[in-house]
Amino acid sequence: MKRQRNRGRVTLASIGVMCAVAALPGQARAADAPAAYTFDPTATAVRGAETNADAVELKSGSVYRSSIEKDQKLYYRLRLDDTTDAYVSAVVVPKTAGQVAYGDGVTISIRDLDDNRCDSQDADFGSAEFPRPIAAYAHRTVKKGITTCAASGTYNVLIERESKATSDPGAWDLELRFENEPTVKDAGSRPTEAPENWPSASPVPPTGTQKRSGGTGFADATSLESGEWVDGIAPGQTRFYRVPVDWGQQIFATAALSNSSRSTEFLGNALAVSLENPAHGHVEDATLSYSGAPNSVSLQPLPPVAYENRHASATRVSAMRFAGWYYLSVTLSPKVAERYGDDPIGLTLKVKVVNDGEPSPYQGDAGIFGVSDDDRDMARSGQSASDADRSDTMKTVAAGGIGTGVVLVAGLGVWTLLARRREALAAPSAGGQQPGGQPPAR
C-alpha cells in the first residue's frame, strides 16, 4: 500500500502541473470589443473612512481597490519616516454609462495630523465631458529647511469627490497605490532648481506602422517603444499603453483618428489623451475634435526626465521627476456612436523617445522608478505587465513540469525494479526453492 500511495502522489503532482498550465489565463486580448477597466489583480479591497481616526492603513508597494460616493470625503492612513519621499495615487473609474460634467473629479492630498497639507493634485474630466479613467497623485517629500510634513509618524490621505447636480450620482471605483521613492545619492549636493529650457521640436518617429492593441487599465497597458502604432478604438472605450522613459530621456506623443465614411458631423472633444508618470501622477492631457476626416493631436513638449524637475512650479514639469514606465491613455467619446456608429475607428499613436539614458540618482535598486533591460525588451515585444507575469508563471510551471517529469520517471523506474524483484522471489528456483524464497529443508 505504501508504494501505491507514493506512486499516486507522483501521478497527482504531474496532473497538478498540467492543470496549472490549463488554468492560466489566455494571452489573447480582444482588439475591437469595448471592455471595462481592468483593475490590478493584486489589489486589496479597502473601505475609505469619513473620519481619519477610523482610516485603514495603506502599505508601501501595495495596490488597493475602493470606491467613493458623490460629494464624499474619504480618509486613508500612512505611516511615514522622516527621510523617505512617499507617493499615493488614485485612479478614478466612473461607470461608463454615467454622465459627468465639466469640473467633476477628485482631489487627493496627503496631510499631517494637524491637517497641514503636504501636497495635493486634482483629477477632473475637463472639457471632455464623458466618463473615463482619470488619475492623480499626492506626495510627501522631505525638503531641507522645511519642517512641515517632515516628521515621522502618521499621515492622512484625503480623497474628495466633486460632482455637479446633473452628473450621475453613482459611486466611482478607485484604484489606490502607495509607493516610497528610493534614497537619492548625495542629496545635499543636488541642484534645487528645475531646468528652464529643453528641446521642444517634436522629432520624426521611425517610418512604418505596426499593429499593437492597447490594454484596458494601467495593470495591463500595452508596452510601446519609439514608432508609429496602429490600433482601433470604439466609442466609449479607453486604450492604455506604456512607454519606458529613462533618466535624461524625453517623450513625445501624438494620437490620430482615421477618417470615417459614415458622417461628416463635427464633434468637439471627441478624443481625450492623457499621460501619467510611473507613480500614476498626472502629467499632461489633450483633446481632439472630429468630423469624419483624419485628425491628430499632440501632447505639449515635456522636459527630459530629471530628478531636479520636482522643484518646478508647473505640474507638467515637476511630474517628469523620475524614470520608469509612462502611461498613455486614449478614450473615444461615447457620443461618437450617435454620429458614426458603434464600430471602432482607426487609431494611430506616434511615439518618440529621444536621448541616451543617464545613470540613476538613487542608491541601490530603483524599483518602478527606473528602466531595466527587461523593460526595454517588453517595449520591443509589446508585452504588458500582466503578459510578463503570465510568462514568468509559465516558466515556473515548465520548470516544475520538468522536475515532476523527472520524479515521475524515477518513481516508475523504482516501481518497475521492485515489481521484477517480487516476481523473481516468488518464482521456484532451479535448486528447488519453496514459495516465499525460503531454502529447501535438508
Side-chain angles (χ1 to χ4, degrees):
M1 290 299 294
K2 187 174 183 180
R3 285 191 296 271
Q4 291 291 337
R5 285 196 298 269
N6 287 342
R7 196 178 80 183
R9 290 191 191 104
V10 173
T11 304
L12 288 173
S14 177
I15 293 171
V17 171
M18 290 185 289
C19 290
V21 175
L24 289 173
Q27 296 190 29
R29 182 158 52 210
D32 297 331
Y37 181 83
T38 296
F39 288 88
D40 192 305
T42 67
T44 300
V46 295
R47 186 184 296 274
E50 295 191 347
T51 61
N52 69 312
D54 297 325
V56 64
E57 183 178 339
L58 308 182
K59 301 293 185 181
S60 178
S62 299
V63 185
Y64 299 89
R65 184 170 177 178
S66 192
S67 64
I68 188 167
E69 302 286 345
K70 183 178 180 181
D71 299 326
Q72 197 170 32
K73 298 180 179 181
L74 295 179
Y75 284 94
Y76 307 85
R77 180 176 298 169
L78 306 177
R79 296 286 297 179
L80 304 179
D81 61 26
D82 58 0
T83 60
T84 305
D85 293 347
Y87 297 83
V88 178
S89 66
V91 180
V92 180
V93 186
K95 300 295 185 290
T96 56
Q99 175 66 39
V100 297
Y102 183 88
D104 284 4
V106 300
T107 298
I108 180 171
S109 60
I110 295 179
R111 300 165 180 261
D112 65 17
L113 289 185
D114 293 325
D115 207 35
N116 294 309
R117 188 177 63 180
C118 309
D119 180 65
S120 67
Q121 190 179 52
D122 298 330
D124 62 62
F125 299 99
S127 57
E129 299 177 26
F130 49 84
R132 62 191 184 278
I134 54 176
Y137 74 167
H139 51 79
R140 191 295 299 263
T141 52
V142 181
K143 300 178 181 178
K144 185 177 180 180
I146 298 179
T147 57
T148 302
C149 296
S152 61
T154 300
Y155 286 77
N156 296 319
V157 176
L158 176 61
I159 300 180
E160 305 169 83
R161 173 179 167 181
E162 180 180 347
S163 294
K164 300 292 189 295
T166 56
S167 301
D168 184 353
W172 293 347
D173 288 326
L174 298 174
E175 187 175 67
L176 309 175
R177 282 171 174 77
F178 171 27
E179 295 285 349
N180 280 325
E181 190 173 5
T183 303
V184 69
K185 304 172 188 174
D186 306 320
S189 61
R190 302 198 68 86
T192 56
E193 294 183 2
E196 295 182 359
N197 299 302
W198 58 82
S200 59
S202 180
V204 178
T207 58
T209 60
Q210 300 180 64
K211 174 70 176 178
R212 200 162 280 184
S213 296
T216 52
F218 284 90
D220 71 344
T222 298
S223 304
L224 303 177
E225 60 179 354
S226 292
E228 189 168 329
W229 306 98
V230 176
D231 200 355
I233 186 167
Q237 188 175 46
T238 301
R239 294 292 213 188
F240 283 85
Y241 312 85
R242 62 179 191 165
V243 183
V245 187
D246 210 346
W247 298 100
Q249 292 189 322
Q250 194 173 7
I251 181 173
F252 297 86
T254 298
L257 286 176
S258 69
N259 63 296
S260 173
S261 59
R262 303 195 64 170
S263 176
T264 58
E265 189 171 351
F266 177 82
L267 184 63
N269 303 312
L271 190 77
V273 183
S274 186
L275 180 71
E276 274 69 42
N277 67 20
H280 295 185
H282 182 63
V283 180
E284 181 63 296
D285 55 62
T287 59
L288 173 69
S289 299
Y290 189 62
S291 58
N295 201 12
S296 69
V297 65
S298 298
L299 296 179
Q300 291 189 48
L302 298 163
V305 171
Y307 185 87
E308 292 72 33
N309 286 336
R310 66 192 60 218
H311 302 300
S313 57
T315 300
R316 57 188 296 271
V317 177
S318 67
M320 302 296 295
R321 64 177 61 195
F322 24 56
W325 289 105
Y326 279 75
Y327 296 85
L328 278 166
S329 61
V330 184
T331 308
L332 187 62
S333 170
K335 294 181 180 179
V336 171
E338 301 171 7
R339 298 162 173 80
Y340 294 90
D342 295 321
D343 293 339
I345 295 176
L347 171 68
T348 299
L349 284 178
K350 298 180 180 180
V351 176
K352 182 68 175 180
V353 177
V354 300
N355 304 332
D356 294 331
E358 298 175 357
S360 169
Y362 301 129
Q363 300 177 17
D365 183 15
I368 68 167
F369 302 117
V371 175
S372 67
D373 289 338
D374 286 343
D375 293 335
R376 297 183 186 92
D377 288 342
M378 283 191 282
R380 279 190 288 270
S381 66
Q383 271 193 323
S384 66
S386 55
D387 290 336
D389 289 342
R390 282 194 292 266
S391 178
D392 290 343
T393 303
M394 288 296 291
K395 290 176 182 176
T396 301
V397 171
I402 292 171
T404 303
V406 171
V407 172
L408 178 60
V409 171
L412 290 174
V414 170
W415 179 79
T416 301
L417 289 173
L418 291 173
R420 288 177 178 173
R421 184 180 180 186
R422 286 199 308 272
E423 292 173 0
L425 291 172
S429 65
Q433 271 190 314
Q434 301 296 320
Q438 296 299 321
R442 296 188 182 274

